[in-house]
């Protein structure tokens, strides 16, 4: 009997090791970004006065800057490793946030605006607000993240769906959208943060709150849409126009063709965009001091995403371009 038990134990151990080895190998498999290098938007050289420049800092972090007013989505720079994220309590990493802001050339910001309240968007936002004087703008869940890190009420602004916020010559309109359906979030029910969130916490503490489509208009006439997650609410963007869509593509490579078609129609086509810049495709468990890598194939397939976007773009006359990291680019 004892010998049987021992054998079972050894077999279980071997199976566990095999599983761990398999997961490790799979985790390191990701599509190459090499084929998309030629699609990288050119770095803007001495912008015309008042022209809007955008910078990309990984995941869905973007800076919009017209030389007079700068504001940022997310500001997520900590990027704790995958094991650290899975098994420990996590929180903002001040050193990495300072490095990220420096690399993006950011000192002062009018606002920091998380696209929703998951940790890979909103965890660092209050620290970004503290460093830059920015107002933290977002849902009630985002407000709890700000208050948990001690932001004064004067530096926190709660917005409701349909609201518009003016930042210098920028007008931001907040439209309620949906999260990409994932094992982590079903994309329909909205999970909220119900009380002030004091890090470090388990990753699951950063519940999504309202998932925004953020429409951005500048007095110069330029328009953009920031779609932070690969979810959508049918018809929610009707009547809005945007030249460029920053399209959150995380997990889109694992969705059906029908889902990708609908996502494209309800975002890019809905606003009549001429240009799509994919965001939220990088492996955010890797730090920003090394070149970005695509999400592991276990979770997404960026090659499928790009093939899909480029085919739809060709059909509908929409350019698909990649953002350079940190450097300002013109659209
Ligand atoms: Zn999310």
């Amino acid at each position: 009997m004892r010998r049987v038990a021992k054998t079972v134990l050894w077999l279980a151990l071997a199976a566990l090791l095999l599983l761990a080895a398999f997961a490790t190998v799979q985790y390191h498999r990701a599509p190459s970004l090499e084929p998309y290098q030629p699609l990288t938007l050119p770095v803007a050289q001495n912008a015309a006065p008042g022209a809007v420049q955008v910078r990309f800092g990984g995941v869905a972090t973007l800076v919009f800057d017209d030389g007079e007013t700068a504001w940022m989505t997310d500001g997520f720079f900590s990027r704790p490793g995958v094991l650290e994220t899975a098994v420990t309590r996590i929180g903002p990493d001040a050193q990495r946030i300072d490095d990220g802001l420096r690399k993006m050339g950011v000192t002062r910001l009018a606002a920091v605006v998380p696209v929703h309240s998951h940790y890979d968007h909103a965890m660092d936002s209050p620290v970004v607000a503290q460093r830059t004087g920015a107002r933290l703008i977002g849902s009630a869940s985002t407000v709890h993240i700000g208050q948990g890190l001690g932001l004064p009420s004067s530096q926190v602004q709660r917005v409701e769906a349909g609201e518009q916020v003016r930042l210098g010559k920028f007008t931001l309109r907040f439209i309620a959208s949906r999260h990409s359906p994932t094992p982590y979030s079903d994309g329909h029910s909205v999970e909220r943060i119900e009380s002030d969130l004091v890090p470090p916490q388990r990753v699951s503490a950063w519940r999504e709150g309202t998932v925004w489509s953020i429409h951005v208009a500048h007095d110069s006439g330029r328009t953009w849409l920031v779609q932070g997650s690969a979810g959508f609410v049918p018809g929610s963007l009707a009547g809005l126009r945007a030249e460029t869509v920053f399209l959150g593509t995380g997990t889109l490579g694992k969705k059906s063709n029908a889902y990708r078609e609908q996502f494209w129609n309800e975002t890019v086509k809905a606003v009549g965009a001429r240009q799509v810049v994919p965001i939220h495709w990088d492996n955010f468990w890797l730090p920003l001091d090394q070149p970005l890598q695509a999400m592991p194939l276990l979770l997404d397939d960026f090659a499928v995403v790009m093939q899909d976007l480029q085919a739809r773009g060709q059909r509908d006359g929409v350019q698909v371009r990649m953002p350079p990291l940190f450097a300002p680019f013109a659209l």
Side-chain angles (χ1 to χ4, degrees), residues 10 14 36 56 59 61 95 112 146 182 196 232 246 253 297 325 327 329:
W10 277 113
Y36 318 116
F56 170 65
V59 201
T61 291
Q95 177 75 55
V112 57
T182 62
D196 291 357
F232 57 90
F246 292 100
L297 282 167
L325 186 61
F329 50 93

Side-chain angles (χ1 to χ4, degrees), residues 67-78:
E68 195 180 290
T69 307
W71 62 276
M72 180 182 261
T73 56
D74 293 1
F76 177 61
F77 301 110
S78 291

Side-chain angles (χ1 to χ4, degrees), residues 116 118 120-121 179 229:
H116 58 268
H118 279 154
D120 55 324
H121 301 279
H179 200 271
S229 189

Side-chain angles (χ1 to χ4, degrees), residues 112-119 121-126 136-151 156-161 189-199 201 203-212:
V112 57
V113 188
V115 295
H116 58 268
S117 294
H118 279 154
Y119 90 103
H121 301 279
M123 184 175 80
D124 295 347
S125 307
L136 174 69
I137 302 178
S139 68
S141 295
T142 293
V143 168
H144 281 308
I145 297 174
Q147 287 172 348
L149 274 165
L151 280 188
V156 181
Q157 182 178 354
R158 178 177 166 177
V159 284
E160 303 294 340
S189 52
V190 176
E191 298 192 333
R192 294 190 170 80
I193 299 168
E194 305 286 1
S195 59
D196 291 357
L197 196 163
V198 183
Q201 290 285 346
V203 63
S204 54
W206 284 269
R207 291 160 179 259
E208 67 195 15
T210 309
V211 176
W212 303 113

